[in-house]
Amino acid sequence: MPITCCTLDFILRRLKRWNALLLIASLSFTFNTCVNAADAVDFMLLDLSGQSRSLSDYRGQWVIINFWATWCAPCLKEIPELVRFQNKNSARVQVIGIDFEQTPIDEVQRFVRSLRMNYPVLRIGDQPLLPFEPLKGLPSTFFISPQGAIVHRHLCLLYTSDAADDTP
């Protein structure tokens, strides 16, 4: 059965958006035959302790990459939802936050501690992070398949408490 816009709309109205997007990502993987190695994306960025982290370190599992900044009001609403999502789904999905600003590291570390971010936080580098950039705004979220392909991109909030409305 083909996935139609009506089907996706129904799913998004019935489920919490994070779970719905995870389902969409799973379905898109199911309906794609095979991801070519050339389609896999990778990057290497520093985490808050100065260690290099690579997207390919997470190959074999779903990854949600969330670009955010400390000054971004929608990001402040979304990060607690990402923390809850990571708590519930850590066996299936790895969330990675990318701090998309040049704020001093100690301020970012305080920010991360204050929001109890329970997933890796990386710092954006000096060079554009292709194919993710240029971003159209913050927050920006990308779903990455276990093979390393971008299967979904989303600009703005993915989930708020009122998004769980179960009305048809």
Side-chain angles (χ1 to χ4, degrees):
M1 178 170 128
I3 298 176
T4 65
C5 290
C6 293
T7 305
L8 294 179
D9 183 55
F10 174 78
I11 291 169
L12 288 172
R13 283 187 288 132
R14 291 286 181 189
L15 301 174
K16 292 181 181 180
R17 288 203 173 183
W18 282 110
N19 290 331
L21 287 172
L22 184 59
L23 176 63
I24 291 165
S26 297
L27 291 173
S28 69
F29 174 71
T30 301
F31 291 109
N32 289 335
T33 52
C34 180
V35 174
N36 186 335
D39 295 334
V41 296
D42 199 12
F43 58 74
M44 187 169 291
L45 294 172
L46 298 178
D47 65 17
L48 298 182
S49 64
Q51 297 207 346
S52 293
R53 298 277 189 115
S54 172
L55 179 57
S56 60
D57 294 342
Y58 302 98
R59 210 62 94 226
Q61 69 184 108
W62 286 97
V63 177
I64 296 173
I65 299 174
N66 179 256
F67 289 85
W68 58 273
T70 58
W71 48 263
C72 168
C75 300
L76 293 174
K77 291 180 181 178
E78 186 172 66
I79 288 171
E81 298 297 338
L82 284 165
V83 168
R84 281 191 285 279
F85 181 83
Q86 183 65 45
N87 278 334
K88 291 180 182 177
N89 298 284
S90 61
R92 298 184 302 160
V93 181
Q94 176 62 58
V95 175
I96 298 174
I98 298 181
D99 177 30
F100 197 72
E101 61 189 334
Q102 297 300 320
T103 300
I105 187 94
D106 59 326
E107 289 180 37
V108 176
Q109 289 169 331
R110 275 194 303 276
F111 179 85
V112 167
R113 279 192 306 271
S114 72
L115 290 176
R116 296 187 174 126
M117 294 170 76
N118 58 353
Y119 48 85
V121 174
L122 311 178
R123 303 287 312 259
I124 196 66
D126 295 329
Q127 301 298 317
L129 194 59
L130 300 175
F132 302 99
E133 290 186 63
L135 298 178
K136 294 184 171 141
L138 293 175
S140 286
T141 305
F142 296 80
F143 276 73
I144 311 299
S145 74
Q147 291 73 27
I150 298 172
V151 295
H152 185 75
R153 304 166 192 253
H154 188 82
L155 174 63
C156 290
L157 286 172
L158 277 172
Y159 179 86
T160 59
S161 295
D162 59 354
D165 183 15
D166 196 31
T167 58

